[in-house]
Amino acid sequence: MTDLMEISAALQKGRAKVVKELVEQAIADGMSAKEILDGGLLHGMNIVGQKFKINELYVPDVLVAARAMNAGSELLKQLLIDDGVKATGKVVLGTCKGDLHDIGKNLVKMMMEGKGLEVIDLGVDVSADKFVEAAIEQNAQIIACSALLTTTMGEMANVVKYAEEKGVRSKFTIMVGGAPVNESFKNSVGADVYAPDAASAADEAIAAIN
Ligand code: B1M
């Protein structure tokens, strides 16, 4: 049986190839995607975050760890997506303007696709007008904004404001999330839904559409 701590340790060292092999092994051992994600990949990334905070690791170390995280989570995607599920709704998703963090956003995308939602991924550094214009163009029901920086979460207020100015606010459920975001921030910017993690983001999206 694969030791999830080995996945965590390899991720912390940024060893993408090893992470990939260990995740493949864990899948072959019959572990669930959630177990591998929470106990291995996210465990390792949390430690990287703590060490980054106290200057024990630096930006290049975090970048290689992020690459290893993406290599591992990409393999889990197949397990999270049920081919038989028909798209039940459309979401435009992105990381807010000025923000390049995309690991959490990518997990949200995977979980939403796993629930049968069609996700239009706008990428990172997405401005308020781009979120809203894409939602109009794509005829989406949900605008989902991720932010990891206290300096970029303010763009979420601009998304709400821009939708109001365009007269389309009532057409969309605006969902917000990311490490510095919480329920009271969601209320302060006038968004509709806050989700603390990728799995609840997918559940909340389904609930908002139905
Ligand atoms: Co940056 N970084 N980073 N970083 N980074 C943080 C966020 C930080 C907390 C580190 C720290 O100081 N401890 C700090 C932010 C401080 C703050 O604003 N309060 C920080 C900083 C300061 C910076 C720079 C400014 C550093 C610098 O250059 N001096 C810089 C900014 C660059 C920019 O964006 N303009 C920077 C750069 C980077 C890297 C490029 C090196 C890299 C990103 C690589 C990438 O994403 N491709 C990076 C990383 C990896 C991190 C940490 C270590 C890990 C983030 C992560 O991916 N976590 C992070 C520290 C930490 O969080 N512990 C840190 C795993 C991921 C799964 O979690 O994204 O939170 P998260 O997603 C969660 C939930 O939040 C939620 O679901 C996910 C779990 O299921 N969620 C949503 C996310 N989006 C959601 C949307 C939803 C719902 C839920 O609905 C729409």
Side-chain angles (χ1 to χ4, degrees), residues 59-186:
V59 172
D61 309 305
V62 182
L63 266 181
V64 288
R67 210 170 298 142
M69 168 91 198
N70 279 329
S73 54
E74 195 53 35
L75 292 171
L76 299 179
K77 193 173 172 179
Q78 299 311 316
L79 292 180
L80 296 166
I81 295 175
D82 176 1
D83 285 336
V85 183
K86 253 188 147 233
T88 47
K90 212 186 244 191
V91 181
V92 296
L93 168 71
T95 303
C96 288
K97 187 175 169 186
D99 200 326
L100 304 176
H101 296 84
D102 66 358
I103 297 172
K105 169 189 71 66
N106 293 343
L107 282 178
V108 170
K109 181 182 178 189
M110 273 182 213
M111 296 288 183
M112 285 183 170
E113 287 179 341
K115 293 262 175 191
L117 293 161
E118 184 181 348
V119 180
I120 312 296
D121 186 354
L122 303 176
V124 296
D125 192 22
V126 181
S127 58
D129 58 318
K130 201 168 164 201
F131 271 114
V132 177
E133 296 295 347
I136 296 170
E137 197 178 302
Q138 294 286 340
N139 204 16
Q141 290 96 347
I142 297 179
I143 299 176
C145 313
S146 174
L148 263 286
L149 299 172
T150 45
T151 49
T152 59
M153 60 204 271
E155 190 67 3
M156 292 168 175
N158 294 336
V159 173
V160 175
K161 217 165 121 204
Y162 189 84
E164 280 166 356
E165 282 166 13
K166 289 284 282 188
V168 294
R169 176 66 184 89
S170 62
K171 280 190 165 195
F172 305 115
T173 296
I174 300 181
M175 181 187 290
V176 293
V181 178
N182 57 28
E183 186 72 25
S184 79
F185 179 77
K186 180 251 338 181

